[in-house]
Amino acid sequence: MIGKTKISLLVTAALFSSGQVIAEKGSIALDELVVTGTRSETALRELAGNTGKVSEEEIDLINADHIEESLARVSGVHIQRGNGAESLVALRSPVLTGPGAAGAFLFMEDGIPLRAAGFANNNGLAEAHYEWAGGMEVIRGPGSALYGSNAVHGLINVLSRAPSLELERELDFTFGSDDLYKVKGTVSDTVGAHGYRVSFSGTDFGGWRDEESYGQQKITARHDYFAPNGDSFQTVFSAFNLNQETAGFIESSDKKAYEDSSLMKTNNDPDAYRDWWSVRLSTRWDHVMDNGNTLSITPYLRNNRMEFRQHYLPSRAIEENEHTSLGTQIAYYMDLNGGHEVIVGTDLEYTDGSLQQTQERASYAFFGKNRQQGIHYDYDVEAVTIAPYIHAEWVLAEKWRATTGLRFEHVEYDYDNNVAAGTGEADGSACFAAPSECLYLRPADREDTFNDWSPKLGLVYLLNENHSVFANYARGHRAPQTTDLYRLQNQQLVGDLDSEKADSLEIGMRGNAGIVDYEVAAFYMKKKNFFFRDPDGLNVSNGRTKHRGIEASISLPLGEQFDVAANYTYAKHTYDFDNASSGTASGNEVDTAPRHIANVRLGWNFNTNSRAELEWAHMGDYFLDPANEYEYDGHDLVNLRVETQLSKSLTLHGQVKNILDEEYADRADFAFGSYRFFPGQSTSYQVGASYSF
């Protein structure tokens, strides 16, 4: 049997390989290891590009109801909450919606995408088990050289929590405003050559708006095995279930309707809902070769099903989608003489998916376009992805490091339409209005193939032990989503879509100046073939946009007990083309793209294993439409979190959100002739206890 000392070393190595070695709260120490940027542990000081982190300790302190609360600590990240578990994401981008959002960002757990390429969902982060994560890493800007399609604007990698060295059993209960009840627990240990952890979490929320509520359950089981020959195996099983009664947008002609607290509690979509279920299973096998190189093979399986009402569209149709994927990630890690490292790999994936969209309402016209009753779309898609890549880290000189990477990605869709093609009814009969006036267009059976190259080039200069500067060029791409290609509208041409591409340049500096840890980066990015939905609900293809900005983070202690950490983003996102139908003009700011975002935390370690944290979150104003005629004024929120360990077994925790009772909108836009708001919650509280036994 392997001795306890050796197990300790092996589990420590596992922590490194999972990117879970955590520095002090708020620290970005240059010797800290991160995993997402290279798919293996890399010192932050040698990374050619940015990586934001949320540590395990921060995750436990935040005790988030929504992943937005944790990721607000990362510069360049902006997540707008919808209702319940829903959200829309921005990473060095506007908050993208509709077709433009699906696939613009890559959401992963332990380096494996939560959903298949081509089958993304805007709310996909809800599936990640962030409540029990061992850490979160964020790459802002293209990550496609290693990770492929969907990492156009960036990627978020939620890391599973590693097994503990000693027996760990914990149970946590939280109670809060508006009938909020949360329970979570974990059990973990290392026995011989085996380490395991099983974690679960459940949330039941009664809601503060009329006829809204949701119940959510998650479970993650992880098993690590270290073989006598040096091989290691990490197996992770995850399951997710959501049953949500959704409260939709509040519509108004008043731009500040969100200040009417009585109105904001109403729900004009009492029949809206979202039912969502997914499971994932993966095993990573790392085999150390006789020459010291490592072969890594990670087969995985995923299944995802969702049904919901499209309450945000005039048709209010029901969408049912699902997909099942079988894939593997293969990588060969080579350590060359002189400190050079090369990774050669291939990602392979097969997916079988389907979608059906059905309108219950009788046929009608809205904004000059007719909506057909019954089935809008009903199709199956088989997808194959083959993506070889090479990634290399070079030591150019004592203080110079270079990163080069190139990925080729082949995506092939085999689409099978199950109803009549064209703009008529699903049974082949003519549309209730003139065929040219009916909105929904169903292509006939077809096959589509997309081939994309993603290069990367980065440089790092180590100024000294405490400071480094970096520069990075990367290209991101996104093969069209299956919904882009096969859920068309009558103004579109079948097969008239190309892969979305973004070219990005960034420069930055990170380090430690005395007691101050910092990182600052500036970026410029151009994107083409942008596919989005205009304020009238019509699809626009072949769009172009520009993105530039500055991101900064800083942390420092204030005496022995206090510390402060802050992150700030200034960004300007503009259209780079004209489109008369949507009011888009070159130079206009993209809608839902605040220039200023900030988050500041003041921490107080008032006792051993006890901490209080006061947080200020600032959201700047932003335009609500492509013509820049309508605007949201922004908001400021103040939150307080406290946890204190009373004994070895018992910890109490609590938080008050929106202490100043700010009247605000989690999400605002202007569409179909009205302001629309997802209202923010007024002052709310939570209290809870965690018991270890």
Side-chain angles (χ1 to χ4, degrees), residues 296-512:
S296 178
I297 301 177
T298 308
Y300 61 87
L301 175 70
R302 74 164 77 86
N303 181 257
N304 186 298
R305 300 175 187 174
M306 182 186 297
E307 179 182 330
F308 65 99
R309 183 179 296 280
Q310 298 174 336
H311 60 87
Y312 45 84
L313 295 177
S315 69
R316 299 175 51 77
I318 299 294
E319 178 181 330
E320 301 172 74
N321 65 69
E322 68 174 302
H323 69 272
T324 301
S325 301
L326 179 64
T328 186
Q329 297 175 340
I330 304 171
Y332 187 62
Y333 298 83
M334 294 179 284
D335 288 326
L336 307 180
N337 293 332
H340 311 305
E341 298 179 0
V342 176
I343 307 170
V344 179
T346 301
D347 293 344
L348 306 171
E349 184 173 279
Y350 168 80
T351 300
D352 186 3
S354 64
L355 181 143
Q356 185 176 87
Q357 180 176 309
T358 308
Q359 178 179 305
E360 297 171 337
R361 301 172 66 181
S363 301
Y364 69 101
F366 187 87
F367 267 66
K369 297 296 179 182
N370 295 284
R371 272 74 175 173
Q372 304 101 300
Q373 186 179 27
I375 295 175
H376 296 162
Y377 309 97
D378 183 357
Y379 61 77
D380 301 311
V381 181
E382 293 183 66
V384 174
T385 300
I386 303 172
Y389 65 87
I390 183 169
H391 179 94
E393 307 279 338
W394 308 101
V395 179
L396 303 181
E398 181 181 356
K399 295 186 176 183
W400 285 94
R401 304 289 188 273
T403 299
T404 56
L406 183 64
R407 180 186 181 98
F408 171 74
E409 185 154 292
H410 170 83
V411 177
E412 183 175 335
Y413 299 131
D414 186 352
Y415 158 80
D416 184 12
N417 180 31
N418 298 320
V419 291
T423 59
E425 303 293 344
D427 61 3
S429 60
C431 184
F432 73 100
S436 62
E437 296 177 358
C438 284
L439 180 63
Y440 306 106
L441 169 61
R442 296 178 291 268
D445 296 355
R446 58 183 286 115
E447 295 181 1
D448 293 280
T449 300
F450 301 91
N451 296 308
D452 294 289
W453 294 89
S454 294
K456 175 184 174 68
L457 174 62
L459 290 172
V460 179
Y461 179 66
L462 307 177
L463 294 170
N464 51 44
E465 293 182 355
N466 297 319
H467 305 276
S468 65
V469 295
F470 61 87
N472 186 45
Y473 162 76
R475 168 173 289 179
H477 75 270
R478 183 198 79 145
Q481 302 294 290
T482 53
T483 49
D484 299 347
L485 291 165
Y486 310 125
R487 187 161 61 179
L488 299 182
Q489 297 175 349
N490 64 2
Q491 84 277 17
Q492 295 177 262
L493 298 176
V494 177
D496 189 36
L497 288 177
D498 294 323
S499 294
E500 188 174 288
K501 292 182 173 63
D503 289 291
S504 172
L505 291 170
E506 72 172 323
I507 57 172
M509 183 174 182
R510 61 171 66 96
N512 177 279

Side-chain angles (χ1 to χ4, degrees), residues 67 105-117 119-121 123-130 150 156-159 218 220 238-240 276-281 300-305 323 325 329 349:
I67 196 170
F105 318 100
L106 184 58
F107 306 140
M108 302 187 298
E109 201 162 50
D110 290 329
I112 299 173
L114 294 172
R115 296 175 69 93
F119 298 83
N121 184 273
N123 305 285
L125 270 176
E127 292 185 49
H129 202 172
Y130 56 84
N150 294 16
I156 297 171
N157 190 15
V158 179
L159 304 164
K218 300 178 183 179
T220 299
S238 298
F240 162 82
W276 188 356
W277 177 89
S278 68
V279 294
R280 298 180 299 278
L281 176 65
Y300 61 87
L301 175 70
R302 74 164 77 86
N303 181 257
N304 186 298
R305 300 175 187 174
H323 69 272
S325 301
Q329 297 175 340
E349 184 173 279

Side-chain angles (χ1 to χ4, degrees), residues 65-68 78-89 95-97 122-123 126 205 208-209 212 214 242 244-250 264 274 311-312 664-668 676-681:
D65 304 328
H66 194 286
I67 196 170
E68 173 270 332
H78 173 206
I79 299 178
Q80 286 190 343
R81 296 175 65 166
N83 188 248
E86 298 174 347
S87 63
L88 293 171
V89 176
V95 174
L96 299 177
T97 63
N122 302 348
N123 305 285
F205 182 49
W208 60 278
R209 296 177 61 188
E212 71 153 332
Y214 74 90
L242 173 71
Q244 176 175 301
E245 299 300 318
T246 305
F249 279 110
I250 300 292
M264 291 302 103
R274 186 181 298 270
H311 60 87
Y312 45 84
Y664 73 103
D666 270 319
R667 167 162 173 73
R676 305 194 305 175
F677 305 103
F678 274 118
Q681 190 173 6

